[in-house]
């Protein structure tokens, strides 16, 4: 939060634009956060499996095992940063309440609908594409709201590319882990 409260006046047009951005952003954020949490769990499990497989089953040296473990865990760390940023975005009704005022109740109802499952979820394969959509809408919201939302991870194109690469990497590591179980 900010050290000192800023008072901003938002015109009715900006207020409606901000509400429409938040209404499109909240279901996407919720669904993408769920997918990233799943991939975080998969990434941690695959990293642990690779370390066990390298060190205990194939008897590789400790330095090779640690290096492979760190390399396998790095994409999971990047996804953890995205997941954390998306979890912070779930506080949009409170942030909007500070900025917009009366929009707080509408956004809280939207969050309640999302948690009740009344909004369609993002598909598994479109989650990588959703990172770009969240980034575009978040940058537009940041433009309107200013410094109230710290969403630099979701707006930075370099981090978005790293996020998509990490998403794919964890999935490929998962497939590699399955192959190691059955074929090697």
């Amino acid at each position: 939060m900010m050290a000192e409260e800023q008072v901003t006046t938002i015109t009715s047009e900006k207020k409606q634009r901000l509400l429409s951005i938040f209404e499109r952003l909240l279901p996407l954020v919720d669904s993408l956060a769920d997918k990233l949490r799943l991939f975080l769990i998969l990434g941690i499990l695959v990293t642990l499996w690779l370390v066990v497989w390298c060190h205990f089953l194939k008897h590789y040296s400790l330095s090779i095992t640690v290096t492979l473990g760190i390399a396998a865990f790095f994409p999971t760390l990047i996804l953890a940063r995205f997941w954390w940023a998306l979890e912070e975005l779930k506080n949009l009704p409170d942030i909007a309440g500070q900025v917009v005022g009366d929009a707080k109740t509408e956004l809280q109802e939207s969050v309640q609908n999302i948690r009740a499952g009344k909004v369609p979820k993002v598909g598994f394969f479109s989650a990588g594409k959703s990172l770009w959509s969240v980034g575009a809408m978040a940058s537009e919201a940041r433009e309107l709201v200013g410094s109230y939302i710290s969403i630099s991870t979701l707006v930075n194109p370099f981090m978005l590319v790293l996020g998509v690469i990490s998403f794919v990497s964890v999935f490929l590591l998962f497939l590699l882990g399955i192959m190691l179980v059955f074929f090697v």
Side-chain angles (χ1 to χ4, degrees), residues 39-115:
F39 269 77
L40 284 173
I41 293 168
L42 281 178
I44 291 169
L45 292 176
V46 165
T47 302
L48 290 174
W49 165 243
L50 287 176
V51 167
V52 166
W53 185 83
C54 286
H55 190 67
F56 296 109
L57 298 178
K58 291 298 177 178
H59 304 291
Y60 289 138
S61 70
L62 187 60
S63 61
I64 291 175
T65 302
V66 168
T67 304
L68 279 172
I70 290 172
F73 193 63
F74 188 68
T76 306
L77 285 176
I78 293 172
L79 289 180
R81 178 63 184 120
F82 275 98
W83 177 75
W84 186 259
L86 289 172
E87 287 296 321
E88 285 180 354
L89 274 180
K90 286 184 179 180
N91 295 328
L92 280 178
D94 297 330
I95 295 167
Q98 293 173 355
V99 177
V100 179
D102 62 342
K104 185 176 180 178
T105 56
E106 293 175 33
L107 287 171
Q108 283 177 339
E109 288 174 9
S110 178
V111 168
Q112 289 172 354
N113 286 339
I114 290 169
R115 295 187 198 263

